[in-house]
Amino acid sequence: MGRHLTRWLIPLPAIILAFWPTTVRADTQPGLQYTVWDNYTGQNNAYNANPPLPPTTPIIATGVASRIDYQWLMGPILGTNIYEDVVVKFEGWIDPPTDQMYYLCVASDDGAKMYLDGQNVIDDWYDRGGGCGQTADVDFTNGQPKDMVLWYYENGGYANVKLLYYTGNGWSVAPDSWFSYGSPATTTTTTSSTTST
């Protein structure tokens, strides 16, 4: 009587691992932080046109702006009692909703400078009567927010500053949803496992 060898096939579960990057913004808040320096009384009006940066004059206000869209005309600037000869710094993160190239400009009366990730992309630091000067093509195709610093100064007369982007049909104000401030955005890797039989 011979021996019969029987082989049993036992199906084993297959485990599939998936990895993908996830952007985490810990401790961020909506808006941009701003600081206002008094160049009118702080230095006996010594710095009005093309003021030096960083300012050495007194800080007279700080706060949070939902976006950069201000038309003060001849009125007080950012809740201060100063109508002219100020320097304002806006800082935080800018993160448009679509990963693409964006065409940006700063319309201002008077001067403006904008830095993204430490690079000076707009440099209109001179007396202007409004409208956009330089424009910047900015690459947001990697899906990551950029560290933004925007400087503005006013040298008498009307005062306004707006951060605009080109929509394809004209210029529009960059909306509140683009901006945040606080701890830097970080990218982490998320792992997921799937078991199938």
Side-chain angles (χ1 to χ4, degrees):
M1 190 170 162
R3 299 177 67 185
H4 296 279
L5 182 62
T6 303
R7 294 182 178 173
W8 298 88
L9 296 177
I10 301 173
L12 297 174
I15 299 176
I16 300 171
L17 296 178
F19 302 90
W20 63 88
T22 301
T23 300
V24 178
R25 293 177 184 81
D27 301 324
T28 58
Q29 301 293 327
L32 296 166
Q33 293 179 303
Y34 68 79
T35 306
V36 184
W37 284 264
D38 176 8
N39 279 13
Y40 186 73
T41 59
Q43 287 287 341
N44 297 317
N45 205 18
Y47 300 134
N48 47 9
N50 190 26
L53 294 176
T56 58
T57 52
I59 292 173
I60 54 172
T62 59
V64 175
S66 60
R67 58 184 172 179
I68 302 174
D69 181 18
Y70 292 101
Q71 184 80 28
W72 297 290
L73 299 177
M74 300 285 287
I77 295 172
L78 282 173
T80 69
N81 61 353
I82 304 294
Y83 294 72
E84 59 187 24
D85 297 326
V86 298
V87 174
V88 181
K89 181 184 184 183
F90 298 94
E91 53 190 329
W93 299 94
I94 179 170
D95 188 10
T98 305
D99 298 345
Q100 64 181 46
M101 295 291 293
Y102 282 85
Y103 196 35
L104 305 177
C105 82
V106 181
S108 62
D109 183 351
D110 287 287
K113 282 179 181 277
M114 186 166 72
Y115 294 84
L116 295 176
D117 288 340
Q119 179 182 358
N120 186 197
V121 296
I122 292 176
D123 191 3
D124 290 328
W125 204 243
Y126 60 93
D127 282 12
R128 305 189 303 131
C132 287
Q134 287 185 338
T135 56
D137 284 314
V138 182
D139 186 357
F140 284 95
T141 58
N142 65 0
Q144 296 298 309
K146 295 185 185 298
D147 183 11
M148 187 185 89
V149 174
L150 192 151
W151 291 95
Y152 161 78
Y153 82 86
E154 159 59 12
N155 179 27
Y158 287 156
N160 65 78
V161 61
K162 298 174 184 285
L163 177 57
L164 307 174
Y165 74 104
Y166 192 70
T167 65
N169 296 313
W171 293 98
S172 184
V173 173
D176 302 14
S177 60
W178 285 26
F179 305 111
S180 62
Y181 69 94
S183 297
T186 58
T187 301
T188 61
T189 300
T190 301
T191 305
S192 174
S193 62
T194 302
T195 303
S196 62
T197 55

